Amino acid sequence: MSQQAVRVYIPATVPLLAELRRVGVLTVAEAHAVTPTLREWYAEGDEEELEYVAFTRAAQSALRLLHADPAAPPRRVVVSVDLPADRVHRTDTELGSSTVRVDGPIDPRSVAALHVDGSEAVDAVAAATAVVEQALAGDPDAQFTVDGTEDHELEWYDVSELDLLLHEAG
C-alpha cells in the first residue's frame, strides 16, 4: 500500500534555488503544511483555503531568510513539494500552527512547483525584509510593511523552468 503524500511549502531564496540546481537537493530547516492544529484553528476553511494559509506563511518565512542573506535578490521564494507523510513532522502544537520539519533533503523529483515574486514586488519585499524582525517582535508599523508583500502574488513556475527562473530572478 502506498503512503499518502503531503503538500509541503518550503520558504527559500533565489540562492537556495541555485543550490538546488547546482547540488541537486534542497536542505530544509523549516517548512509549512496543513497540520491538525491549523485545521482546528481554521475550522471553517476548506482544503484550498488551508493550503493557501500554509503557503502564505511559507512566503512570510522567506522574508526571514532574505533578512539573513542580504546579498540575495529581494524576492520571496516558496518551493511546493509532495512528500510521504512519514517525512513530515509537526514542530509546533500551538493552535493554528502550520510549521513542520522535513526529514532529509528535498529531491527535485518531489517538487510540484516553484513560486517566486515578480519584478514588481522587489521594492515591497526589500522594505519588508528590512523590518521583518521588528514585525515579529510586535511593531505594528513593521507588520504593516510586511503585510504589504501580500499584495503581490508569487509567480508559478514548473520545476523544468528552474534555469529560466534563476536567469530572470538572479
Side-chain angles (χ1 to χ4, degrees):
M1 174 170 31
S2 67
Q3 188 178 32
Q4 182 177 355
V6 175
R7 175 64 51 99
V8 178
Y9 302 99
I10 301 168
T13 61
V14 171
L16 288 173
L17 287 181
E19 180 179 326
L20 173 64
R21 178 69 179 102
R22 187 178 68 257
V23 179
V25 295
L26 182 63
T27 304
V28 178
E30 175 185 289
H32 295 269
V34 176
T35 63
T37 57
L38 181 60
R39 283 185 200 287
E40 184 180 346
W41 171 75
Y42 198 2
E44 299 298 315
D46 63 18
E47 193 65 23
E48 188 174 315
E49 290 171 314
L50 293 170
E51 293 281 345
Y52 185 74
V53 169
F55 176 86
T56 301
R57 289 181 179 172
Q60 291 168 344
S61 294
L63 290 173
R64 293 188 80 192
L65 294 175
L66 289 168
H67 183 77
D69 183 3
R75 295 180 187 226
R76 297 169 297 165
V77 175
V78 174
V79 180
S80 297
V81 299
D82 294 320
L83 298 173
D86 65 354
R87 288 194 55 202
V88 181
H89 308 282
R90 290 186 312 180
T91 59
D92 185 351
T93 57
E94 182 179 324
L95 187 62
S97 176
S98 63
T99 305
V100 295
R101 175 180 51 82
V102 174
D103 289 342
I106 304 300
D107 182 293
R109 293 173 296 198
S110 301
V111 176
L114 304 167
H115 312 272
V116 181
D117 276 310
S119 59
E120 76 288 343
V122 167
D123 291 340
V125 171
T129 298
V131 298
V132 67
E133 296 300 328
Q134 293 93 319
L136 290 168
D139 181 323
D141 292 332
Q143 187 61 53
F144 180 78
T145 301
V146 168
D147 290 345
T149 61
E150 292 180 21
D151 293 339
H152 302 278
E153 292 290 324
L154 277 72
E155 297 174 353
W156 183 94
Y157 292 84
D158 184 80
V159 70
S160 66
E161 298 175 291
L162 181 55
D163 288 335
L164 171 68
L165 171 60
L166 289 171
H167 176 73
E168 289 178 358

